[in-house]
Amino acid sequence: MPTIQLPDGSTRQFDEPVTPGQVAESIGPGLAASAIGAMVDGTMTDLDVPIAEDASIAIITARKGESESSDDALWLIRHSAAHVMAEAIQRLWPDVQLVYGPPVSGGFYYDMWLPEGNKISSEDFERIEAEMKAIVAEDRPFTRYDMSATEGLSKLESEGNKYKVDNAQRAIDGGSDELSWYATGNPGDNWEDLCRGPHVPSTGRIGAFKVMSIAASHWHGDSSSDQLTRIYGTAFTDRKQLKRHLKQLEEARKRDHRVIGKQLSLFTIDDAVGPGLILWKPAGSIVRQELQDFISLYTRRQGYDQVFTPHIGRLELYRTSGHFPYYQDSQYPPIIERDQMAILAGEGCSCGELSNRLESGDVEGYLLKPMNCPHHIRIYASEPRSYRDLPVRLAEFGTVYRHEQSGELSGMLRVRGFTQDDGHLFCTPEQIGEEVQGCLELVKIIFSTLGMDQYRVRVGLRDPESDKYVGDPDNWKLAETACIEAAEAMGVPFDAEAGEAAFYGPKIDFVVRDAIGRDWQLGTVQVDYNLPERFDLSYIGADNTAHRPVMIHRAPFGSMERFIGFLIEHFAGAFPAWLSPEQVRVLPVSDKSLEYAREVQSLLRAEDLRAGLDAGDERLNAKVRSAAEKKVPYVLVVGPRDSENRTVSVRAHGIERDLGAVPLDDFLASLASEVRGREHGTAISTLFPEAAPA
């Protein structure tokens, strides 16, 4: 008699083993009709899995129309769509050998090996989709069957697909004593694939899908191994959701920061310098400097002290912090001093032995810093501290280096060298709450100023089952409690997620939704009891004895590169005037008005506004188009009448018409006020209250 607990806390008792599908039916026909899977005690399962013991169950449903399907629902739909795509491809190319086909963020893919003479291209996508539609229309059930590991491996070996044999052997080596298959229909009669599942109940429940792209890949990701063909697709509950997704992808392509960054001359990446290393051009440097000046104003008000630290540090520093060797896969190799290297070479030290001696500490060296915090810790430790001195707040725009895999680099969003708006606070345990609130306030100021009002908070907690975390569990509990209480005090939705903490402490991350509905993880705040312990930091308390401070890490922007990459795509390159590299451009109608245009530019610059002047020979319409392409917020057209009347004719980016003429002094005052207040479009709303985008 299993007792089933539902998400709302209610329970239902059954006289015999029950499936999640039957549980859904017992709740109501609507739920049963929309159910496609279930979470049973936190594990995703098929609807027809029998449950004989007490369990907690959440039914996974496929929401249609304007509703957003859950990540779990999309995972099930896309996993099932991957099978349908693979079956469709094997119908069209029977000799193709399948490798693996997982759901991924935004869709799914299937890797496959094509025999010589077989080729799949984007021109075949319509044929593949047509076969998929036929399979979906048949509405065949996804049917699971299991075999013992020995029997299943024998079956696969007889079929001659070495890739599936390898997949099975890996599962067996991982502890599986059974192997499972899913047939789209009846086992033995219909197509099947080695798979752990789960899946939606039948092919007809997949909804809307599309084959998206094709790429080359390699078995196990090893470029020296078999070359494979990877076909990507995506799937949603219904056509409306798919259409919305495709529209978002198209809009994302238009907003690609790499394309806009080149168009606006913001940054470049040069192979002669190195992949993943950003060269900031003058226009991009203005955006970066404006953001730095903006946040520095508020950090000064909160009592931060600016510091500067070197780009490298001794290996022993990072051994103490725990960054080396535990995270050395994401770090650049250590730098060994020339004299020591000569001695080691003379001793015949091999590369393997050198690596071991570096890890053990027998050989010293330097490291391109992967984090700023150890350097700030040494600044704190450089002089005695009293409880009266705390909190100590240190801030730095510090550049750090991570050796990301070349295939994972992506413009400014995933780089190898990036600058963090890093801050580290050293405080007493009693000060944690207030200091975390101050850090969160910085993030809220940024979001408010930039008009980013759609965001959520994620509290990353330790996974008690993982061994990647360091420190006393009691201190972890204190730090996690402080983060949760701070998130609650913000008054915005937040989720607490186990396993998302940094290795030294829990953290609060901000996930921002951009203008086209994509989520980005940006600012972060972390509470850390462990690094002060590892570095033996202290302060003298009111009782005249030594106490251990607590450390708070915070980076409201996160990485300047990633944040600005996000802003480029969020604003599609049309920055608010205060951020824009060129805030206003003056266009003389003809050479007769050039002297007045130069005077207008000079007066704008006297107000500390970034003003350009287009004195070229092109026609006025061409100059207006050029300014629009560069996404200049304001354009001032001046002619003889403007010169006589001391006026300017105003255009604003995004409004496809001349707004009219206003006194020059009024425009100067309005734009200067907008820029100083870091506002968005207030000059137009002040001067032209009736103006609206065309």
Side-chain angles (χ1 to χ4, degrees):
M1 293 182 60
T3 298
I4 303 301
Q5 183 173 6
L6 301 175
D8 64 1
S10 64
T11 60
R12 289 175 180 256
Q13 287 191 331
F14 295 86
D15 295 333
E16 56 186 2
V18 66
T19 67
Q22 291 169 331
V23 172
E25 289 173 0
S26 74
I27 296 171
L31 180 63
S34 62
I36 58 172
M39 298 296 293
V40 179
D41 290 334
T43 300
M44 191 182 296
T45 70
D46 299 312
L47 281 177
D48 59 0
V49 171
I51 302 167
E53 304 292 335
D54 294 352
S56 62
I57 291 182
I59 303 298
I60 300 171
T61 59
R63 300 176 183 172
K64 295 186 177 182
E66 295 301 325
S67 300
E68 289 190 12
S69 296
S70 69
D71 290 342
D72 290 338
L74 291 176
W75 191 98
L76 278 168
I77 290 169
R78 290 165 180 170
H79 189 195
S80 303
H83 277 229
V84 169
M85 185 178 76
E87 179 179 356
I89 289 170
Q90 286 200 311
R91 282 185 178 185
L92 297 168
W93 293 271
D95 295 332
V96 161
Q97 290 195 351
L98 302 175
V99 184
Y100 27 62
V104 293
S105 176
F108 59 87
Y109 70 81
Y110 217 114
D111 278 353
M112 56 199 71
W113 177 80
L114 275 62
E116 188 175 350
N118 287 261
K119 182 182 178 183
I120 301 176
S121 72
S122 58
E123 295 178 356
D124 298 307
F125 288 178
E126 287 188 12
R127 295 173 60 206
I128 296 170
E129 288 177 357
E131 288 294 333
M132 292 175 69
K133 288 176 183 177
I135 297 168
V136 168
E138 292 169 15
D139 197 20
R140 287 184 269 125
F142 280 94
T143 308
R144 175 179 175 137
Y145 70 91
D146 298 277
M147 301 178 75
S148 70
T150 302
E151 186 181 7
L153 196 57
S154 177
K155 165 182 162 64
L156 292 169
E157 288 171 343
S158 69
E159 293 171 352
N161 183 331
K162 70 176 184 179
Y163 306 108
K164 294 297 181 181
V165 171
D166 179 74
N167 292 346
Q169 189 61 60
R170 285 168 173 257
I172 294 168
D173 293 344
S176 296
D177 54 10
E178 284 189 331
L179 298 174
S180 58
W181 279 258
Y182 278 80
T184 47
N186 297 316
D189 297 328
N190 296 106
W191 185 89
E192 63 180 35
D193 196 9
L194 177 73
C195 181
R196 290 181 299 180
H199 288 281
V200 297
S202 67
T203 60
R205 303 298 300 277
I206 287 174
F209 54 83
K210 186 172 181 61
V211 181
M212 301 293 293
S213 61
I214 190 168
S217 63
H218 291 86
W219 194 21
H220 299 322
D222 182 354
S223 60
S224 65
S225 188
D226 295 6
Q227 182 167 325
L228 306 174
T229 296
R230 176 173 294 181
I231 300 181
Y232 287 93
T234 192
F236 286 85
T237 304
D238 63 12
R239 174 88 21 206
K240 183 175 288 187
Q241 292 181 8
L242 174 62
K243 186 177 180 180
R244 187 165 64 239
H245 174 73
L246 296 177
K247 183 178 180 181
Q248 184 187 79
L249 290 180
E250 179 60 30
E251 183 64 26
R253 279 190 284 271
K254 295 177 183 176
R255 292 169 177 259
D256 190 325
H257 74 282
R258 293 164 295 190
V259 176
I260 294 176
K262 183 176 182 180
Q263 175 189 342
L264 302 184
S265 296
L266 299 174
F267 71 95
T268 187
I269 300 172
D270 192 321
D271 281 341
V273 176
L277 301 173
I278 303 298
L279 297 174
W280 294 85
K281 300 177 85 170
S285 298
I286 289 172
V287 178
R288 173 171 165 162
Q289 190 63 54
E290 285 290 342
L291 287 170
Q292 290 187 189
D293 291 347
F294 161 52
I295 196 63
S296 294
L297 171 67
Y298 289 96
T299 56
R300 287 193 297 271
R301 290 177 181 176
Q302 286 194 358
Y304 282 82
D305 292 312
Q306 181 74 47
V307 296
F308 297 93
T309 61
H311 291 245
I312 65 173
R314 290 171 62 92
L315 274 179
E316 190 58 35
L317 180 71
Y318 295 103
R319 290 193 187 99
T320 303
S321 70
H323 293 99
F324 185 86
Y326 303 113
Y327 291 86
Q328 68 183 57
D329 288 347
S330 61
Q331 297 165 9
Y332 278 89
I335 303 165
I336 302 173
E337 292 190 18
R338 187 176 289 109
D339 292 345
Q340 190 174 25
M341 199 65 174
I343 294 171
L344 293 169
E347 295 174 353
C349 181
S350 67
C351 292
E353 183 183 352
L354 175 59
S355 178
N356 291 334
R357 292 172 70 176
L358 282 167
E359 289 189 20
S360 66
D362 293 336
V363 171
E364 189 49 75
Y366 288 83
L367 195 67
L368 280 172
K369 66 176 178 181
M371 302 286 267
N372 296 303
C373 39
H375 293 246
H376 290 190
I377 286 170
R378 297 314 304 168
I379 290 176
Y380 174 89
S382 66
E383 57 188 87
R385 307 285 181 177
S386 161
Y387 73 96
R388 294 186 177 90
D389 302 321
L390 272 54
V392 171
R393 306 182 186 97
L394 305 179
E396 176 182 18
F397 290 96
T399 302
V400 298
Y401 302 89
R402 312 276 175 83
H403 191 269
E404 302 286 357
Q405 296 297 317
S406 58
E408 296 178 347
L409 299 174
S410 178
M412 300 180 82
L413 304 180
R414 196 75 178 265
V415 294
R416 287 178 170 170
F418 56 94
T419 301
Q420 293 178 302
D421 60 322
D422 234 342
H424 294 98
L425 301 88
F426 303 85
C427 63
T428 69
E430 295 77 19
Q431 294 169 331
I432 293 175
E434 183 178 355
E435 292 306 309
V436 170
Q437 287 292 345
C439 295
L440 299 182
E441 187 61 31
L442 284 176
V443 180
K444 291 171 68 176
I445 288 169
I446 291 170
F447 291 172
S448 173
T449 302
L450 291 168
M452 302 186 310
D453 54 2
Q454 294 190 52
Y455 65 91
R456 58 185 173 86
V457 175
R458 181 177 62 210
V459 181
L461 307 177
R462 180 176 67 111
D463 179 358
E465 303 300 319
S466 174
D467 60 359
K468 81 171 188 177
Y469 304 101
V470 297
D472 186 338
D474 290 338
N475 284 339
W476 270 92
K477 290 179 182 177
L478 292 170
E480 289 177 339
T481 298
C483 286
I484 290 173
E485 289 178 349
E488 289 174 340
M490 288 189 69
V492 298
F494 77 92
D495 297 311
E497 298 183 17
E500 292 298 319
F503 77 91
Y504 49 75
K507 60 179 181 174
I508 302 173
D509 291 329
F510 291 83
V511 181
V512 182
R513 179 154 292 189
D514 70 8
I516 60 172
R518 298 170 299 176
D519 288 341
W520 302 67
Q521 193 275 307
L522 296 176
T524 186
V525 179
Q526 302 166 6
V527 177
D528 181 4
Y529 280 80
N530 291 306
L531 288 184
E533 186 77 29
R534 295 175 75 94
F535 281 93
D536 194 25
L537 300 184
S538 65
Y539 65 91
I540 302 301
D543 58 0
N544 209 34
T545 64
H547 295 262
R548 189 78 70 203
V550 180
M551 188 175 178
I552 298 172
H553 310 243
R554 68 103 186 102
F557 291 134
S559 146
M560 298 300 293
E561 286 74 9
R562 178 177 170 80
F563 191 83
I564 292 174
F566 159 79
L567 286 183
I568 292 170
E569 300 199 0
H570 178 64
F571 290 119
F575 297 112
W578 69 272
L579 268 182
S580 183
E582 184 179 359
Q583 295 167 327
V584 58
R585 184 177 295 184
V586 185
L587 308 182
V589 171
S590 67
D591 288 346
K592 294 178 182 179
S593 305
L594 184 55
E595 183 178 350
Y596 178 58
R598 286 179 172 146
E599 181 188 356
V600 171
Q601 181 191 32
S602 178
L603 290 171
L604 288 163
R605 288 179 170 177
E607 291 289 340
D608 202 22
L609 297 169
R610 295 185 288 274
L613 172 67
D614 188 344
D617 296 330
E618 295 85 356
R619 299 175 71 87
L620 181 61
N621 285 344
K623 293 181 179 182
V624 170
R625 283 197 302 272
S626 175
E629 288 170 359
K630 289 297 183 181
K631 304 183 186 295
V632 180
Y634 295 105
V635 171
L636 304 183
V637 178
V638 295
R641 183 175 298 175
D642 294 299
S643 178
E644 292 175 13
N645 299 329
R646 304 292 293 174
T647 59
V648 290
S649 295
V650 182
R651 288 177 173 266
H653 186 78
I655 301 178
E656 300 296 327
R657 59 189 172 89
D658 189 329
L659 295 173
V662 295
L664 172 58
D665 289 344
D666 290 354
F667 180 82
L668 287 171
S670 297
L671 181 55
S673 176
E674 176 182 328
V675 170
R676 281 195 299 269
R678 295 187 173 90
E679 297 161 341
H680 198 158
T682 55
I684 292 301
S685 61
T686 300
L687 297 169
F688 305 98
E690 304 303 318

